[in-house]
Amino acid sequence: MASARATPDFVETSLTGLGLLSTPIFNKGTAFTEAERDEFSLHGLLPPQVGTLDQQVARRMKAFHALHDDFARYTFMRDLQDVNETLFYAVITRNVEEMLPVVYTPAVGEGCQRFSEIWRKPRGVFLSYPNRDRIETILGHPRYDGVRAIVVSDGERILGLGDQGAGGMGIPIGKLALYTALAGIHPLRCLPVFLDVGTDNTERIADPLYLGWKHERVKGEEYDRFVDRFVRVVKKRWPHVLLQWEDFAGHNAGRLLERYRDALPSFNDDIQGTAAVATATVLAAVNVTGVPLREQRFAVVGFGSAGLGIAGLLYSALRQAGLSEREARARFYAVDRDGLIVEGMKGLTAGQALFAQAKSAVREWRRGAAGLSTSLRSGRDDNSLGGGIGLLEVVERARPTVLIGVSGQPGAFSEAVVRAMARGVERPVIFPLSNPTSRAEARPDDLIRWTEGRAIVGTGSPFAPVEYAGVRHAIAQTNNSYIFPGLALGILSARAKRVSEGMIMASAQALAGMSPTRQDAKGALLPPLEALRQVSVGVALAVGRQAAAEGLAGVKGEAFEQALRENVWEPVYLPYRRRR
């Protein structure tokens, strides 16, 4: 490249012929000019007609629309990424609403499940446990010199699908594709990494096509030593790299983030990104309901790392709204596999215990619907099973104004639960956020119908608008894509030393500030998906300024804003010069 800017004036390379056409970040396909075909020995390798990026996008979209299902479209886009990255990103940025569900959720779920059958070309880095002594050599290759952002997963908790082994690499690839498509972070600065420590998914191990290490998962001290070696090598190789942790199981996600958040600027999108977009959407819903945030009551269903992250950020928002610590915590009703979390329950983590309801507050509540899994298997909506306090009882007694689901349990928001909520609240706010679509706690059309059109609905995956009683209800896609690309852009542009909770809150408040409901209570909760590039820049500005306010920014003020502008790469073709 001729410049350090994300979008320079020209491209300089020594690659020629098939080598140039086979390098996705440099390939322009039919758009190489006659002069470039002369210079780079491309005549005869391309059809004679010189094309444009616009023509290529139109050609790819025609082929895309001819495909029969989203998995075929997902595979098509993955192949395009491995052939011509500029064209891949041009297709996405010009068709964000149509492409987002294909290149990421929900289609990426099946992409992870069937990763081994569609793998064709290397992308990212697989660090397998048997190669643990080669991590430094693998990551030390000069091809990775320009890396500034890493997304890493071990594949143990992929969306709501559980352990997918090496197929989990689809998540870091997809996340970083959105870093570029939605925030403009240059593809060469992004590195997907998969920590292959085996899998406990017997179906994957039995599959003769499975590409991962066929071994049960490494756990305990061996696992921790492997992850620690990876982080130490990364820190030595790239002292200021952004490290995003993605789709680690609950028993590892929070503790790994806490262990390494001071070693490198790190965040976990499942915990913090989900929390930020949920908080932003709640703040937007407040504009619709007219009920102040400090008067809201929250039932959070599924209280692992994601649920705890959401509760934690909303708790901070309540404190900013003027509630005391005790008042703010009392506003949360956390429901997990054993029912409502109550003080004194066995097996609670320290974070869960902070949101446990006092025994005295629920002494008269009915017991008998143990956990989500028990009540869902039975198909019952009452409290007749087990010894815990079930969700229906929580809704009837606590009368929550906001119901959030990150349980991965389809059907968790039953008709009885939703109708009970609607009896106690004029405009119930209901967010079934679990991904993919098959794991959502409820379908929006049911939620609208069960509440006679009064529910304000946000979902993790995209759903079509719902028509009810002559009114069209838009369904807000409360997707982390509104947060994590801009969060990453802000962290990188500010050269942040660490990622603070204040920076996460700044991202949520920035997104809430862009909600159409600020101008019109009947507007959509979140900006249109087509505006995600502008949203990401707005989020990045807020994050970088908050980092500076907390003394965490290496670059601030006008220098930060200039760095941010220079970090936004545009998917356009540039003139080529040959390096001799």
Side-chain angles (χ1 to χ4, degrees):
M1 295 284 179
S3 165
R5 290 160 49 202
T7 304
D9 298 322
F10 62 88
V11 173
E12 186 179 64
T13 179
S14 59
L15 294 170
T16 62
L18 285 175
L20 179 58
L21 296 177
S22 300
T23 305
I25 192 61
F26 291 136
N27 183 22
K28 293 200 289 185
T30 59
F32 281 106
T33 66
E34 288 289 346
E36 289 168 341
R37 294 178 190 212
D38 289 339
E39 184 74 5
F40 293 95
S41 303
L42 298 175
H43 286 296
L45 297 176
L46 296 168
Q49 184 68 39
V50 175
T52 66
L53 182 59
D54 288 345
Q55 291 171 331
Q56 291 176 333
V57 170
R59 185 179 295 118
R60 291 302 87 201
M61 290 303 296
K62 184 175 182 179
F64 179 89
H65 289 142
L67 298 172
H68 59 281
D69 61 36
D70 276 349
F71 178 67
R73 297 182 187 105
Y74 172 84
T75 304
F76 174 87
M77 290 301 292
R78 283 285 297 108
D79 286 345
L80 180 58
Q81 186 180 17
D82 288 338
V83 170
N84 183 331
E85 288 196 79
T86 302
L87 177 55
F88 170 78
Y89 288 113
V91 168
I92 297 175
T93 56
R94 298 182 189 193
N95 305 276
V96 172
E97 185 170 4
E98 186 172 9
M99 288 295 163
L100 196 58
V102 173
V103 297
Y104 202 60
T105 55
V108 71
E110 188 173 0
C112 290
Q113 291 174 308
R114 302 173 66 179
F115 183 86
S116 292
E117 70 182 79
I118 66 171
W119 188 89
R120 290 172 176 81
K121 294 184 178 181
R123 178 164 292 275
V125 174
F126 286 88
L127 300 176
S128 63
Y129 188 76
N131 280 331
R132 57 193 178 278
D133 293 330
R134 298 187 177 99
I135 293 177
E136 189 163 10
T137 300
I138 293 169
L139 295 181
H141 196 282
R143 71 170 67 94
Y144 305 126
D145 286 351
V147 167
R148 296 293 178 269
I150 292 173
V151 175
V152 61
S153 180
D154 70 354
E156 189 170 6
R157 193 207 63 84
I158 296 300
L159 305 174
L161 302 172
D163 188 347
Q164 297 302 317
M169 178 56 124
I171 297 296
I173 291 172
K175 285 283 184 180
L176 287 169
L178 298 187
Y179 270 39
T180 300
L182 304 183
I185 298 172
H186 196 284
L188 289 178
R189 295 177 179 173
C190 299
L191 182 64
V193 174
F194 187 77
L195 304 180
D196 190 353
V197 292
T199 178
D200 291 334
N201 186 325
T202 55
E203 183 180 348
R204 297 289 166 267
I205 290 180
D207 182 359
L209 299 181
Y210 179 63
L211 293 172
W213 182 42
K214 290 193 173 185
H215 192 282
E216 65 183 17
R217 278 192 173 271
V218 172
K219 298 181 175 72
E221 292 183 7
E222 287 182 274
Y223 175 88
D224 286 350
R225 283 196 296 269
F226 181 70
V227 174
D228 192 64
R229 179 175 296 188
F230 161 70
V231 175
R232 283 189 285 107
V233 170
V234 166
K235 184 174 176 60
K236 179 181 177 182
R237 177 76 163 93
W238 304 284
H240 305 291
V241 77
L242 167 63
L243 183 60
Q244 177 184 331
W245 303 87
E246 190 65 29
D247 282 4
F248 286 77
H251 57 273
N252 287 323
R255 71 185 188 88
L256 290 177
L257 178 63
E258 287 303 314
R259 180 175 297 176
Y260 296 114
R261 68 189 310 169
D262 291 324
L264 287 165
S266 301
F267 71 94
N268 184 305
D269 190 50
D270 302 312
I271 300 173
Q272 295 159 297
T274 301
V277 73
T279 298
T281 316
V282 167
L283 293 175
V286 165
N287 298 330
V288 179
T289 66
V291 178
L293 180 66
R294 58 181 292 130
E295 296 178 17
Q296 303 285 341
R297 298 177 299 279
F298 303 91
V300 181
V301 180
F303 214 64
S305 56
L308 185 55
I310 291 170
L313 201 62
L314 284 169
Y315 163 81
S316 296
L318 289 173
R319 294 281 283 129
Q320 289 183 10
L323 294 188
S324 69
E325 180 179 343
R326 181 184 61 79
E327 290 170 333
R329 293 204 191 282
R331 296 283 176 156
F332 291 90
Y333 299 86
V335 179
D336 208 50
R337 66 186 62 189
D338 294 319
L340 179 68
I341 292 178
V342 179
E343 63 182 8
M345 291 177 70
K346 294 180 180 179
L348 297 182
T349 67
Q352 289 173 328
L354 289 174
F355 290 95
Q357 280 288 320
K359 287 182 179 179
S360 59
V362 298
R363 182 174 294 115
E364 303 301 321
W365 294 20
R366 287 185 299 154
R367 268 70 174 172
L372 286 170
S373 57
T374 303
S375 57
L376 289 173
R377 282 197 304 268
S378 71
R380 299 283 295 275
D381 289 323
D382 60 24
N383 287 327
S384 60
L385 300 169
I389 298 173
L391 178 58
L392 180 59
E393 180 75 358
V394 170
V395 169
E396 290 178 336
R397 294 277 194 164
R399 298 176 66 187
T401 58
V402 179
L403 177 61
I404 298 174
V406 281
S407 67
Q409 295 281 353
F413 295 173
S414 67
E415 181 174 357
V417 165
V418 174
R419 288 192 181 279
M421 185 178 182
R423 286 194 296 270
V425 182
E426 177 61 28
R427 297 298 308 273
V429 177
I430 307 178
F431 295 164
L433 299 183
S434 292
N435 285 314
T437 308
S438 61
R439 298 289 176 171
E441 287 77 9
R443 293 187 58 83
D445 53 346
D446 288 331
L447 296 175
I448 297 296
R449 180 163 50 85
W450 294 337
T451 61
E452 291 80 40
R454 292 184 284 119
I456 300 168
V457 181
T459 58
S461 287
F463 283 91
V466 175
E467 297 285 342
Y468 180 84
V471 178
R472 186 175 185 268
H473 298 264
I475 306 303
Q477 188 181 345
T478 309
N479 191 291
N480 294 18
S481 301
Y482 279 98
I483 291 291
F484 71 81
L487 178 61
L489 179 61
I491 293 165
L492 292 175
S493 300
R495 290 287 296 271
K497 301 172 186 176
R498 70 189 300 271
V499 182
S500 69
E501 289 306 305
M503 292 160 67
I504 302 297
M505 180 63 82
S507 72
Q509 292 173 335
L511 176 57
M514 290 181 266
S515 168
T517 61
R518 287 178 63 86
Q519 284 74 45
D520 179 4
K522 296 182 180 180
L525 294 179
L526 296 173
L529 292 173
E530 293 88 347
L532 275 174
R533 271 218 160 192
Q534 298 95 304
V535 168
S536 293
V537 170
V539 168
L541 284 168
V543 167
R545 290 166 180 165
Q546 182 65 28
E550 296 182 32
L552 297 174
V555 179
K556 50 192 173 183
E558 291 184 7
F560 158 68
E561 295 187 17
Q562 177 67 19
L564 192 153
R565 287 190 293 271
E566 292 178 352
N567 280 337
V568 177
W569 173 77
E570 298 293 341
V572 296
Y573 290 142
L574 300 171
Y576 276 35
R577 298 179 185 176
R578 186 170 175 181
R579 183 186 301 132
R580 307 262 180 196

